[in-house]
């Protein structure tokens, strides 16, 4: 990632910001993990702390590597094995943030739906709506997709493998 | 060994096992041919279907997938200039120009035959290495297993194409995720945030389904369109000329297979490096290097034999030491663990029949995949034209239902979702998922080996530098970490010698 970062001119500001947020997220996660580890006895936390502190050092280096400083360039060079500015030259597909959020929101919505009404309602509903709204398919195609996926799931998991699929929070 | 082979034959020659083998091969071909899916996603998605199976049936299904994905990937590489899997990228250099010249059949025939023969050589090497591996494994104490796991993670991080730092970070995060739940050493529950569901830790199967299947679906959904960007397919004729070309040029095939097997056995280096190395070796040794990249059939045979031979090679560290050589073998390791098989010395000494079942599966699947490709290449290439908006909802549903089916626990669906989003962010910001996955799989053995080492040595850290094998492994770890810098130094030195162009 910082391969692309070390040549700031190759990547637009939003892309760099996103990478920075992700790196910061990993840094915060590692700090939080180290903090939690001190709740445990010394022998229990020994190995997790070794990993945590190693991760913290690496995350710090990664964050420095994202900066347009001499130290950042040195870090990128040492770890990537390419001269600073050589990497990240290939234009990468950079989708719009809204598009990514929508794609993730569909997944989150699906899981929330499964939690509330269960698989057997959510499977056809999700397949139909996803194909209709995201894929702009005809109603007939969407219905065909929804029915065939539901039948496959039911036959494979409930009928053949004998799993009882989750029916939703109310049924439970 | 002979008894194990007979037992393996007995396992395999049942209607169920053979059916799963054929099914795995077909699924592997389809997932291999569709760029963005690949063998790892296929195995992750299929894990839930194996719950009710006997362990050797699960192995035949997964072995079929593993052996067939690279062969399937060559179809889209040759016909569409879009490699189905990363190791097929080198095949596009000469495969696609051949297709453009109307020789797609020749290229496909050669690719499929080279894949089968390369795969068989890799598998036979695995069989030959098993007795030696047994001897070597006995020399390993917990300290060596710990260092070997660290070496595996470092080697894989180094192989992630200039992303060593990110690879090491995701390895640490993978280990951190692996610490959640019951600690086998102290008996204490850690990092559970008071959630009962987390007492068992982050379950491997939903996490893998999230990291690969869900993450890829989010990625495909964001990209949109059809999976392949160039949907024009040329005619396929004279396939058997390609088959003959492989036998006529057998030194190229043997060299590619040897490179693939050797590279495959090094954790993390994988099929992509093997294929490119085989291709570049072929070009360097050729009398007519200028013809490569323009449609030379040897440019198809070399990478294809290497990328299938690596399967056998990568199973050597996976089965002998429990150290997976790639993301695909890491997920496969998860399948073995799920079925109560402990990879490493246990499987090597107590379940040799399992290894032979896998060997036979890979052998049959290599040949079967080749026959299917020769017969149905055009149909396989058409698969890449599936609209992602049809593919994404169906695969997502199967993935989530599969995650749930593991223990009929709704929490597993949340785990798959969380890891899916994390996996997508890793794809988006170019953090390798392979190191994360392998760390997640290796977390327990790494920590256990470390604690055993400390117990044996009475907390004396010098145990890591008192035995020869430990020292060798430490040197290998240091060498792996220094490799990018060394490569840069060598490149600069070469440039200085050659002077400015």
């Amino acid at each position: 990632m910082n391969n692309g970062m070390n040549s700031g001119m190759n990547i637009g500001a939003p892309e760099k910001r996103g990478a920075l947020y992700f790196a910061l997220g990993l840094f915060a996660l590692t700090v939080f993990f180290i903090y939690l580890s001190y709740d445990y006895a010394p022998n229990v936390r020994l190995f997790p702390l070794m990993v945590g502190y190693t991760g913290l050092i690496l995350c710090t280096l990664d964050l420095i590597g994202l900066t347009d400083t001499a130290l950042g360039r040195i870090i990128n060079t040492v770890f990537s094995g390419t001269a600073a500015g050589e990497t990240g030259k290939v234009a990468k597909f950079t989708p719009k943030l809204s598009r990514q959020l929508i794609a993730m929101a569909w997944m989150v919505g699906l899981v929330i739906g499964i939690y509330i009404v269960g698989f057997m309602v959510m499977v056809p509903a999700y397949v139909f709506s996803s194909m209709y709204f995201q894929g702009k398919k005809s109603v007939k195609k969407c219905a065909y997709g929804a029915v065939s996926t539901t039948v496959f799931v039911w036959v494979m998991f409930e009928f053949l493998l004998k799993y009882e699929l989750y029916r939703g929070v109310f049924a439970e | 060994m002979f008894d194990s082979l007979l037992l393996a034959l007995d396992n395999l020659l049942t209607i169920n096992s053979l059916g799963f083998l054929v099914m795995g091969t077909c699924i592997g071909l389809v997932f291999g041919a569709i760029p963005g899916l690949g063998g790892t996603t296929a195995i992750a998605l299929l894990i839930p279907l194996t719950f009710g199976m006997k362990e050797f049936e699960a192995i035949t299904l997964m072995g079929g997938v593993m052996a067939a994905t690279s062969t399937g990937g060559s179809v889209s590489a040759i016909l569409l200039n879009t490699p189905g899997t990363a190791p097929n990228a080198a095949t596009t250099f000469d495969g696609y120009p051949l297709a453009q010249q109307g020789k797609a059949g020749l290229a496909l025939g050669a690719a499929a035959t080279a894949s089968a023969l390369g795969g068989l050589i890799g598998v036979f090497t695995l069989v030959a290495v098993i007795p030696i591996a047994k001897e070597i494994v006995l020399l390993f104490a917990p300290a060596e297993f710990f260092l070997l796991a660290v070496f595996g993670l470092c080697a894989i991080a180094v192989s992630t194409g200039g992303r060593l730092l990110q690879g090491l970070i995701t390895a640490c995060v993978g280990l951190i995720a692996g610490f959640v739940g019951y600690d086998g050493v102290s008996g204490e529950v850690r990092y559970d945030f008071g959630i009962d569901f987390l007492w068992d830790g982050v379950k491997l199967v939903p996490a893998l389904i999230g990291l690969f299947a869900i993450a890829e679906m989010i990625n495909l959904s964001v990209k949109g369109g059809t999976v392949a960007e160039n949907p024009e397919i040329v005619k396929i004729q004279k396939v058997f000329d390609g088959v003959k070309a492989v036998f006529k040029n057998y030194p190229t095939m043997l060299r590619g297979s040897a490179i693939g097997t050797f590279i495959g056995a090094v954790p993390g280096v994988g099929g992509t490096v093997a294929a490119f190395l085989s291709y570049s070796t072929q070009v360097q040794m050729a009398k007519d290097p200028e013809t490569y990249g323009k449609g030379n059939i040897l440019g198809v045979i070399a990478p294809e034999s290497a990328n299938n031979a690596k399967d056998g090679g990568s199973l050597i560290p996976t089965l002998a030491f429990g150290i997976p050589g790639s993301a695909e073998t890491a997920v496969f390791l998860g399948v073995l663990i799920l079925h109560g098989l402990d990879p490493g010395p246990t499987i090597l000494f107590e379940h040799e029949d399992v290894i032979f079942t896998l060997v036979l599966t890979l052998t049959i699947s290599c040949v079967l995949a080749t026959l299917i490709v020769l017969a149905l290449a055009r149909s396989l290439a058409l698969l890449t034209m599936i609209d992602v908006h049809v593919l994404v909802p169906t695969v997502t549903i199967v993935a989530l239902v599969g995650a749930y089916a593991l223990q009929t626990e709704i929490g597993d669906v949340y785990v798959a979702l969380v890891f899916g989003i994390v996996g997508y962010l890793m794809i988006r910001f170019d953090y390798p998922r392979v190191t994360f996955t392998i760390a997640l799989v290796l977390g327990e053995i790494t920590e256990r080996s470390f604690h055993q080492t400390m117990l044996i040595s009475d907390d004396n850290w010098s145990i890591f530098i008192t035995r020869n094998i430990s020292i060798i492994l430490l040197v290998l770890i240091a060498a792996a970490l220094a490799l990018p810098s060394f490569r840069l130094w060598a490149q600069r030195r070469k440039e200085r010698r050659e002077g400015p162009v």
Side-chain angles (χ1 to χ4, degrees):
Chain A
M1 180 250 350
N2 63 350
N3 314 350
M5 294 303 93
N6 56 20
S7 49
M9 67 286 285
N10 292 325
I11 290 179
E15 177 70 22
K16 194 166 182 171
R17 253 200 321 270
L20 189 67
Y21 290 149
F22 188 66
L24 274 171
L26 291 173
F27 182 86
L29 174 86
T30 318
V31 171
F32 182 57
F33 172 75
I34 292 171
Y35 168 76
L36 284 179
S37 298
Y38 281 103
D39 282 347
Y40 301 103
N43 66 322
V44 179
R45 71 184 182 218
L46 175 64
F47 190 66
L49 276 178
M50 277 168 59
V51 174
Y53 279 112
T54 308
L56 192 66
I57 294 166
L58 294 168
C59 286
T60 310
L61 291 173
D62 190 29
L63 281 170
I64 298 170
L66 285 167
T67 60
D68 264 333
T69 59
L71 186 58
R73 280 187 286 275
I74 290 169
I75 288 168
N76 289 326
T77 305
V78 168
F79 281 97
S80 69
T82 48
E86 278 182 14
T87 53
K89 282 180 179 171
V90 179
K92 198 180 155 188
F93 171 65
T94 48
K96 280 184 184 169
L97 179 65
S98 58
R99 201 177 170 131
Q100 298 175 68
L101 290 175
I102 288 169
M104 285 188 254
W106 272 93
M107 296 287 173
V108 175
L110 168 64
V111 171
I112 293 171
I114 290 170
Y115 170 72
I116 297 169
V117 292
F119 282 104
M120 296 318 287
V121 175
M122 217 36 220
V123 169
Y126 169 75
V127 175
F128 185 93
S129 51
S130 173
M131 284 174 70
Y132 187 77
F133 293 110
Q134 286 203 296
K136 313 278 182 223
K137 304 287 168 207
S138 67
V139 173
K140 195 178 158 188
K141 275 187 183 170
C142 297
Y144 176 74
V147 170
S148 52
T149 310
T150 312
V151 169
F152 171 78
V153 166
W154 184 81
V155 170
M156 179 59 80
F157 290 93
E158 290 227 340
F159 184 71
L160 292 175
L161 296 173
K162 311 285 181 209
Y163 293 119
E164 194 187 327
L165 293 178
Y166 181 73
R167 297 282 189 242
V169 68
F170 302 113
E172 293 288 303
Chain B
M1 191 184 241
F2 190 69
D3 290 346
S4 302
L5 185 62
L6 283 179
L7 198 55
L9 269 173
D10 195 40
N11 287 341
L12 193 63
L13 296 177
T14 64
I15 297 287
N16 278 2
S17 295
L18 289 173
F20 288 130
L21 192 155
V22 174
M23 188 173 141
T25 306
C26 294
I27 292 171
L29 282 172
V30 170
F31 274 68
I34 300 175
L37 293 185
T40 315
T41 306
I43 296 175
L45 275 174
L46 286 173
I47 293 173
L49 302 185
T50 71
F51 296 158
M53 292 181 191
K54 292 171 184 152
E55 76 263 12
F56 56 84
E57 290 172 346
I59 286 167
T60 51
L61 180 69
M62 299 305 181
V65 173
M66 284 201 293
T69 39
S70 296
T71 312
S74 66
V75 176
S76 34
I78 290 166
L79 297 182
L80 307 168
N81 202 24
T82 309
T85 64
N88 298 112
T91 309
T92 59
F93 297 159
D94 283 282
Y96 188 61
L98 278 167
Q100 284 179 314
Q101 293 160 23
K103 297 175 186 168
L106 176 75
L108 281 169
T113 312
S115 292
L117 295 175
L120 292 177
I121 289 171
V123 167
F124 292 144
T125 310
L126 170 67
V127 175
V129 164
I130 288 170
I132 306 164
K134 277 183 172 175
E135 299 294 324
I136 296 172
V137 164
L138 288 174
L139 300 173
F140 275 57
E144 280 83 36
F145 272 107
F146 171 73
L147 290 174
L148 189 65
V150 175
F151 169 66
L153 287 172
C154 292
I156 289 161
V158 170
S159 70
T160 52
R163 291 170 296 151
L164 170 61
L165 185 55
Q166 290 70 34
L168 292 173
I169 289 171
T170 52
C172 286
V173 177
L175 287 170
I176 287 171
F179 292 136
V180 174
Y182 180 77
D183 172 25
V185 179
S186 65
E188 200 168 325
V189 177
R190 300 180 296 187
Y191 313 104
D192 64 328
F193 305 101
I195 304 167
D196 297 356
F197 173 74
L198 290 177
W199 284 13
D200 288 338
V202 173
K203 289 186 201 101
L204 200 56
V205 176
L208 294 175
I209 287 175
L211 271 176
F212 291 97
I214 301 293
E216 290 298 350
M217 289 309 108
I218 296 175
N219 196 31
L220 281 175
S221 183
V222 169
K223 283 182 177 169
T226 52
V227 180
E229 284 163 9
N230 183 1
E232 191 186 330
I233 298 184
V234 290
K235 271 190 170 179
I236 299 167
Q237 293 168 325
K238 296 185 177 175
V239 171
F240 285 96
D241 286 354
V243 178
K244 280 188 259 174
V246 177
F247 288 100
K248 199 174 154 194
N249 298 291
Y250 68 90
T252 300
M253 184 273 296
L254 288 176
R255 195 167 41 242
S257 304
I259 290 172
T261 309
F262 177 74
I263 296 289
V266 181
V269 183
T272 312
V273 175
F276 276 97
L277 190 62
S278 177
Y279 182 83
S280 60
T281 308
Q282 179 58 36
V283 175
Q284 280 164 14
M285 293 179 74
K287 288 174 187 161
D288 52 352
E290 70 283 353
T291 61
Y292 286 82
K294 294 171 187 166
N296 190 321
I297 195 66
L298 297 179
V300 173
I301 297 170
E304 279 302 315
S305 52
N307 70 30
N308 267 49
K310 68 101 179 48
D311 289 335
S314 69
L315 283 168
I316 296 169
T318 309
L319 294 174
F321 299 97
I323 309 290
S326 61
E328 198 175 89
T329 46
V331 182
F332 178 68
L333 210 65
V335 178
L336 294 179
I337 294 166
L338 194 75
H339 285 271
L341 298 164
D342 195 7
T346 315
I347 201 169
L348 207 58
F349 289 98
E350 292 171 23
H351 296 284
E352 208 178 45
D353 60 311
V354 168
I355 297 177
F356 279 106
T357 306
L358 182 61
V359 164
L360 291 171
T361 302
L362 292 173
T363 308
I364 297 170
S365 180
C366 276
V367 178
L368 186 63
T370 298
L371 295 175
I372 295 173
V373 163
L374 293 179
L376 300 171
R378 195 180 166 83
S379 309
L380 274 171
L382 285 170
L383 284 169
T384 60
M385 288 171 214
I386 293 175
D387 188 327
V388 295
H389 294 298
V390 175
L391 188 73
V392 168
T394 30
V395 175
T396 304
I397 289 295
V398 174
L400 291 181
V401 174
Y404 172 78
L406 172 67
Q407 290 186 325
T408 54
E409 182 88 63
I410 191 70
D412 288 336
V413 177
Y414 309 147
V415 171
L417 174 72
V418 169
F419 277 81
I421 291 173
V422 170
Y424 170 71
L425 293 174
M426 286 183 176
I427 297 173
R428 179 76 190 83
F429 298 113
D430 231 354
Y431 280 70
R433 284 174 298 166
V434 58
T435 42
F436 183 93
T437 311
I438 292 176
L440 195 61
V441 173
L442 284 181
E444 198 192 334
I445 185 182
T446 313
E447 189 174 13
R448 196 187 337 131
S449 305
F450 176 77
H451 280 291
Q452 284 171 344
T453 309
M454 290 291 107
L455 277 172
I456 292 166
S457 68
D458 204 14
D459 287 340
N460 185 351
W461 289 66
S462 67
I463 192 168
F464 290 113
I465 48 166
T466 49
R467 281 162 55 93
N468 288 341
I469 304 174
S470 298
I471 294 169
I472 291 169
L473 286 166
L474 280 170
V475 170
L476 283 173
I477 291 167
L481 293 175
L483 190 65
S485 302
F486 175 76
R487 222 164 21 205
L488 180 63
W489 173 79
Q491 185 194 333
R492 283 183 173 165
R493 194 164 164 228
K494 191 181 167 194
E495 282 169 5
R496 271 201 301 273
R497 273 187 184 169
E498 288 172 357
V501 181

